């Protein structure tokens, strides 16, 4: 994961010549502020090396050319503007992300869905059998909660529950919707770009128009139409199946929004006038930060995009013993402070308006930093293992795999406490699951094991049968002990062999 993260950050640094932002993108956006040396040093090294490699062919004086405001102390007017535009951009970013999430729901997959509710009798589906084998399954019949099918080159009729079928990751026929959606999205872009050529590309052209509005001579109405069209074509492209991010489109949308709102900003205030490019740049940072959910990376991206930081010449002079140049630069406070103010205001409002809506895609949680690089076998030897529980009880596929691996490791380390903890499955309220729930779970595990032709299929079946036979004689309080017996029979047993260890 760290290698992939460093590659992503290095790619960003190389394309835009932003080494600091590339390293921050790796650490903050991908690794979620993993500040260990094993992550920090590779992230910095990869971004710096990538920037040096592309130095001869990539412009290094910023993407958006504007006066260097960072050498001046920030005025009261620019700070007030930052406080005002931040909340506006935070709300706009929340709405933008909500629209993007809605559009992603229309993205065509490689194949049509073939879940229990989507598949019909007589249709074919591709299912996962074993670790890597994909086989074709023909649906014979369905009931309210079970599906009956036959695999290709197999005369045996098989059946699974609805949860067990979905666990097999079924896929239907090839999805042809992308052949209509993607050309339609780009046809829309082509038509709109006849009147608004700045819509083409990744967003840099529109951001240039917004930052230098006075030079291009665009009216506020033209900016509004370009803003709406940019959002429309971005959403249409994502919904049609285009693989792409929203980083530079967010910069363009934020800068355009700032240029529009800035037209209503009173220039007669005693705090002094504000440049049109300053307004657009602060708005772009305030919009990009919540859109990326990475405020520090967004802030430094805008600093490096606009060349508003401390220059290399000033750092080299400081290294040679001449601090005068870096003192004259005022350490880039002239733009760092307004940018930080706008980003902070935007993030506060964004968190407030979106706290009831999940705006961050769920990612698997890593082990704690102290255990991240320790093999699972060593971690299990040091103490009991926490049970692997998925977000939903119906998501049995990963849970079965994790439980098998964990119990196998616990068996190898003779960790009886881990075995008990793994199979007790406490609920969110700390209650033990009912015997019926455990019996159904073992039945689903049995189905998955039969489909995957696991060596423990016979012991799985015997465990489930034994559990079912003893159901009427066992009280709910004995559920954990009974499940321990059943699951250990399943995982520790071998086909045709009995357990030597009575545990």
């Amino acid at each position: 994961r760290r290698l992939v993260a460093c590659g992503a950050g290095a790619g960003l640094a190389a394309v835009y010549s932003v080494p600091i932002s590339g390293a921050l993108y790796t650490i903050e956006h991908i690794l979620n502020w993993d500040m260990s040396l094993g992550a920090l040093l590779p992230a910095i090294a990869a971004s710096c090396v990538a920037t040096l490699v592309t130095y001869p062919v990539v412009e290094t004086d910023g993407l958006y050319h504007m006066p260097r405001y960072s050498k001046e102390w920030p005025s009261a007017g620019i700070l007030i503007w930052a406080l005002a535009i931040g909340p506006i951009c935070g709300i706009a970013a929340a709405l933008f992300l909500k629209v993007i999430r809605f559009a992603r729901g229309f993205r065509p997959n490689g194949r049509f869905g073939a879940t229990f509710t989507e598949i019909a009798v007589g249709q074919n589906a591709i299912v996962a059998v074993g670790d890597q084998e994909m086989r074709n399954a023909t649906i014979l019949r369905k009931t309210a909660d079970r599906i009956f099918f036959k695999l290709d080159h197999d005369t045996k009729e098989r059946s699974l529950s609805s949860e067990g079928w979905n666990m097999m990751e079924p896929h239907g026929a090839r999805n042809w919707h992308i052949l209509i959606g993607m050309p339609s999205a780009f046809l829309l872009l082509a038509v709109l770009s006849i009147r608004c050529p700045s819509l083409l590309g990744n967003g840099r052209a529109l951001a240039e128009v917004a930052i230098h509005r006075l030079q291009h001579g665009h009216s506020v109405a033209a900016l509004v139409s370009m803003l709406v069209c940019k959002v429309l074509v971005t959403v249409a492209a994502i919904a049609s199946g285009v693989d792409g991010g929203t980083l530079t489109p967010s910069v363009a949308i934020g800068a355009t929004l700032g240029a529009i709102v800035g037209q209503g900003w009173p220039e007669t205030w005693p705090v002094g006038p504000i440049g049109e490019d300053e307004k657009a740049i602060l708005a772009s940072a305030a919009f990009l930060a919540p859109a990326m959910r990475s405020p520090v990376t967004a802030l430094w991206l805008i600093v490096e995009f606009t060349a508003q930081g401390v220059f290399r010449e000033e750092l080299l002079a400081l290294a040679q013993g001449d601090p005068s140049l870096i003192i004259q630069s005022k350490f880039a406070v002239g733009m760092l402070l307004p940018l930080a103010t706008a980003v902070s205001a935007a993030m506060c409002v964004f968190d407030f308006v979106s706290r009831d809506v999940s705006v961050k895609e769920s990612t698997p949680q890593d082990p704690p930093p102290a255990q991240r690089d320790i093999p699972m076998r060593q971690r299990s030897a040091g103490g009991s293992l926490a049970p692997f529980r998925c977000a939903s009880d119906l998501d049995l596929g990963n849970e079965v795999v994790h439980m098998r691996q964990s119990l196998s490791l616990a068996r190898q380390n003779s960790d009886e406490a881990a075995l008990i903890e793994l199979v007790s499955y406490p609920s969110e309220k700390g209650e033990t699951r009912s015997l019926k729930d455990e019996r159904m779970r073992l039945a689903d595990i049995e189905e998955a094991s039969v489909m995957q032709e696991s060596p423990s299929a016979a012991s799985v079946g015997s465990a489930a049968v034994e559990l079912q036979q003893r159901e009427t004689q066992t009280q709910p309080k004995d559920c954990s002990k009974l499940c321990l017996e059943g699951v250990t029979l399943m995982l520790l047993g071998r086909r045709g062999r009995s357990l030597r260890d009575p545990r």
Side-chain angles (χ1 to χ4, degrees):
R1 184 182 181 187
R2 288 177 180 175
L3 288 175
V4 174
C6 291
L12 178 65
V15 170
Y16 298 114
S17 188
V18 288
I20 298 177
S21 300
L24 287 173
Y25 183 84
T26 302
I27 297 168
E28 178 189 19
H29 189 75
I30 303 180
L31 296 181
N32 195 21
W33 286 114
D34 182 1
M35 299 298 292
S36 62
L37 291 179
L40 192 62
L41 294 181
I44 296 174
S47 295
C48 292
V49 171
T51 305
L52 290 175
V53 170
T54 58
Y55 179 81
V57 294
V58 176
E59 54 183 321
T60 59
D61 56 347
L63 294 179
Y64 309 109
H65 303 288
M66 55 187 295
R68 192 180 176 189
Y69 297 106
S70 58
K71 295 184 67 174
E72 306 171 0
W73 293 113
S75 64
I78 194 66
L79 294 177
I80 295 175
W81 167 256
L83 287 173
I85 196 62
I88 296 175
C89 289
I91 297 173
L95 295 175
F96 177 69
L97 289 182
K98 191 171 183 178
V99 173
I100 292 296
R101 285 197 307 275
F102 176 77
R104 291 187 190 278
F106 293 93
R107 288 172 60 89
N109 297 318
R111 292 180 178 272
F112 287 110
T115 61
F116 185 83
T117 56
E118 295 171 329
I119 196 74
V121 175
Q123 292 183 348
N124 294 331
I126 306 296
V127 296
V129 179
D131 294 333
Q132 298 179 349
E133 184 181 5
M134 304 296 293
R135 298 180 63 178
N136 185 63
T138 303
I139 309 303
L140 302 178
R141 62 183 186 277
K142 285 177 60 178
T143 62
D145 57 351
R146 296 198 71 82
I147 187 169
F148 298 84
F149 60 96
K150 184 171 62 175
L151 298 175
D152 56 349
H153 309 297
D154 190 354
T155 59
K156 180 181 178 181
E157 179 180 306
R158 302 172 183 266
S159 69
L160 285 174
S161 65
S162 57
E163 295 84 0
W165 172 259
N166 293 335
M167 188 182 65
M168 303 304 296
E169 301 177 359
H171 299 286
R174 292 285 185 182
N175 192 340
W176 48 268
H177 290 172
I178 194 171
L179 301 178
I180 298 177
M182 193 175 292
S184 300
F186 283 101
L187 177 61
L188 173 65
L189 172 61
V191 173
L192 294 177
S193 64
I194 296 175
R195 296 296 302 272
C196 301
S198 58
L199 295 177
L200 297 171
N202 61 0
R204 180 181 178 182
L206 180 58
E208 287 278 5
V209 169
I211 294 172
H212 306 293
R213 183 188 68 85
L214 297 180
Q215 299 178 15
H216 292 277
H218 290 293
S219 63
V220 177
L223 288 177
V224 172
S225 63
M226 285 188 286
L227 174 64
V228 174
C229 290
K230 185 62 179 180
V231 174
L232 178 62
V233 295
T234 301
V235 171
I238 292 176
S240 68
V242 174
D243 281 326
T246 57
L247 192 154
T248 43
S250 296
V251 175
I253 293 171
T256 309
L257 180 62
I260 295 172
V261 177
Q263 296 308 302
W265 189 257
E267 299 293 343
T268 58
W269 280 18
V271 294
I274 308 172
E276 295 293 329
D277 46 6
E278 287 183 283
K279 296 177 184 177
I281 285 301
L282 291 181
S284 66
F287 190 92
L288 179 63
M292 290 182 63
R293 283 88 73 189
S294 302
V296 179
T297 303
L299 188 151
W300 276 105
L301 273 172
I302 299 302
V303 168
E304 293 185 297
F305 279 171
T306 57
Q308 296 294 320
V310 177
F311 282 17
R312 288 184 297 273
E313 295 79 4
E314 297 161 352
L315 293 175
L316 290 175
L318 178 64
Q320 296 173 0
D322 182 13
S324 59
L325 292 179
I326 198 168
I327 292 176
Q328 293 176 7
S329 71
K330 299 180 177 60
F331 299 94
V333 173
M335 282 300 288
L336 284 179
L337 184 57
L339 284 171
T341 303
V343 167
S344 300
M347 291 303 299
C348 290
V349 174
F350 175 79
D351 291 338
F352 176 77
V353 300
S354 61
R355 58 185 175 182
D356 294 332
V357 181
S358 176
V359 297
K360 208 165 189 179
E361 295 181 359
S362 60
T363 55
Q365 296 296 321
D366 284 342
Q371 298 183 359
R372 189 173 288 125
D373 295 325
I374 302 176
M376 177 64 76
R377 181 174 299 184
Q378 297 179 16
R379 293 207 301 267
S380 63
S384 61
L385 290 170
F388 288 92
R389 290 190 298 137
C390 299
S392 170
D393 289 345
L394 300 181
D395 188 13
L396 296 176
N398 290 331
E399 189 165 355
V400 170
V401 174
H402 286 316
M403 190 171 63
R404 285 178 175 172
Q405 294 174 348
S406 302
L407 284 177
S408 178
L409 291 172
R411 177 186 63 83
Q412 294 173 8
N413 293 280
S414 301
D415 193 347
E416 185 174 1
L419 288 173
I420 297 175
E421 186 176 12
L422 280 164
V423 299
S424 60
Y425 289 103
S427 65
E428 296 295 335
K429 298 181 180 180
E431 301 171 352
T432 304
R433 298 190 183 197
S434 67
L435 184 63
K436 181 179 179 181
D437 293 336
E438 298 296 344
R439 182 175 61 80
M440 293 178 62
R441 179 176 299 278
L442 278 185
D444 285 319
I445 294 173
E446 176 192 2
E447 292 172 345
S449 300
V450 172
M451 286 300 299
Q452 296 180 3
E453 300 179 358
S454 168
S456 58
S459 53
V460 173
S462 62
V465 171
E466 180 183 358
L467 194 63
Q468 185 175 8
Q469 290 175 349
R470 296 175 58 181
E471 176 181 1
T472 57
Q473 303 174 0
T474 307
Q475 298 298 325
K477 64 180 180 180
D478 297 326
C479 180
S480 298
K481 180 179 179 181
L482 184 57
C483 290
L484 173 62
E485 296 173 0
V487 178
T488 49
L489 278 172
M490 173 188 71
L491 293 171
L492 308 185
R494 293 292 184 268
R495 178 176 295 180
R497 296 173 57 185
S498 60
L499 277 175
R500 296 182 180 179
D501 188 347
R503 289 183 299 178

